[in-house]
Amino acid sequence: MNRITEILNVKYPIIQAPMAWITSAELVAAVSNAGGLGTLGANAGQTTVTKDPIETGERMRTQIRKTRTLTDKPFAVNYMIPGTDEEGAAELSGTFSEAVLKIVCEENVQYVVAVGEANEKVIRHLKELGLTVIYRALDPTIENSRQAEAAGADIIVATGFDEGGGMPSHSIGTFSIVPIIADSVSVPVMAAGGIVENRGFKAALALGAEGVFAGTAFMTAEECLTADVCKQDIINTESTDLLLFKALPSYWRTTPHKLGIELYKKSEQGASVLEIAKMMKGTQGPRIAQQNGDLDNGVNSVNSAISLIKKVRTSKEIIDDMVSGVEF
């Protein structure tokens, strides 16, 4: 028995992370059809920025409805807990989060990936709305995991320093943080950070996780909105080539191109995280590289295990490889 497959009503305990600008109905449906749980990110299916909360909500409604035309399987929507955005780069009033939550409820989506601080009032509210809550702290600790569990979170995601995107402030690797969090709560835990294939999946289970939460692994999926040049960049770059630099919320890792090299050098010279965040254009830095394919002027943020990603595959091929030889 696997508690995560039961909670999520899926075949395999794999969640595709809600990568802000490169998820879409097509990717989410492909993951869900392959037996995992696809997740619509904050700007799923979009190529332009909007500052209008109502438009943000309606864009999400469109993606939810489109996803339902492509799959009859469960899927999730990203809910940013008011206070921080997905990369921790800006304070939010909660207006955008609440606009998305309103649509989630109106469209009867069952599952939310709640990312941010372990705000017990917010998590309890999500549960009162009848939602299944997958909680992921930007900076996982025993304390915030227990807070989320006490508030009613159904699943806790333990994210290690191996992840892509805005990384935790504690440089604790995935295979250290997973057993730490798994030992601290009674609800099922998922491992996140640097897991892209079968060996990592099996290792996560051996360390106490009951499933895997993966982002970079799906960036090279055929159905992902990642630009082709960005997918090839991941395939052609070795993990030892990656650059680590300080920026909000704490650290980022990138493939080595013009802006990434500048950010790394500035970080090494002691520039403030605010200065670097400005150079990086906040959350637009990853979008410029990953969605637009402009590697020199953006940040292709990835996990530390990209040497293991050898080619573009379908989401089904990625998932089938991960779960090979594992019984649920």
Side-chain angles (χ1 to χ4, degrees), residues 281-300:
K281 307 176 186 70
T283 58
Q284 293 303 301
R287 178 192 168 207
I288 290 167
Q290 295 171 347
Q291 189 181 72
N292 296 351
D294 187 350
L295 297 174
D296 279 338
N297 293 302
V299 174
N300 186 14

Side-chain angles (χ1 to χ4, degrees), residues 218-235:
F218 291 105
M219 283 179 64
T220 55
E222 282 186 9
E223 302 89 354
C224 191
L225 287 179
T226 317
D228 288 343
V229 67
C230 183
K231 291 179 182 180
Q232 289 304 313
D233 185 45
I234 293 170
I235 291 166

Side-chain angles (χ1 to χ4, degrees), residues 12-131:
Y12 302 124
I14 295 173
I15 293 180
Q16 161 252 309
M19 301 169 284
W21 284 98
I22 53 176
T23 59
S24 65
E26 289 80 3
L27 173 64
V28 169
V31 170
S32 291
N33 284 334
L37 187 80
T39 309
L40 290 168
N43 294 291
Q46 307 306 315
T47 58
T48 59
V49 178
T50 177
K51 296 182 179 180
D52 182 352
I54 295 175
E55 183 180 359
T56 297
E58 290 305 317
R59 285 178 169 192
M60 183 59 72
R61 189 195 304 275
T62 298
Q63 286 292 302
I64 289 169
R65 291 182 174 180
K66 187 174 183 180
T67 302
R68 286 203 169 115
T69 69
L70 300 172
T71 185
D72 60 357
K73 302 293 192 296
F75 61 92
V77 169
N78 188 201
Y79 173 76
M80 300 310 306
I81 296 174
T84 54
D85 70 8
E86 187 164 21
E87 283 78 27
E91 290 297 316
L92 296 178
S93 66
T95 306
F96 287 88
S97 296
E98 294 314 307
V100 169
L101 182 60
K102 178 175 179 288
I103 300 303
V104 164
C105 293
E106 288 178 0
E107 296 296 320
N108 296 312
V109 177
Q110 177 65 48
Y111 305 97
V112 290
V113 174
V115 180
E117 298 299 324
N119 186 317
E120 294 183 51
K121 181 179 178 181
V122 171
I123 295 172
R124 286 195 184 97
H125 177 58
L126 296 175
K127 292 302 299 178
E128 288 167 358
L129 292 172
L131 297 167

Side-chain angles (χ1 to χ4, degrees), residues 81 116-124 127 133 135 137 139-156 181 184-187:
I81 296 174
E117 298 299 324
N119 186 317
E120 294 183 51
K121 181 179 178 181
V122 171
I123 295 172
R124 286 195 184 97
K127 292 302 299 178
V133 177
Y135 172 70
D139 205 356
T141 64
I142 291 171
E143 292 75 20
N144 60 31
S145 298
R146 287 176 173 169
Q147 287 174 337
E149 178 183 35
D154 299 277
I155 295 169
I156 305 289
I181 301 302
S184 69
V185 295
S186 59
V187 295

Side-chain angles (χ1 to χ4, degrees), residues 301-321:
S301 180
V302 294
N303 72 27
S304 60
I306 59 169
S307 286
L308 300 173
I309 300 175
K310 304 296 186 182
K311 59 183 178 180
V312 173
R313 297 182 292 174
T314 65
S315 295
K316 185 178 188 306
E317 288 171 330
I318 293 168
I319 290 175
D320 286 348
D321 168 61

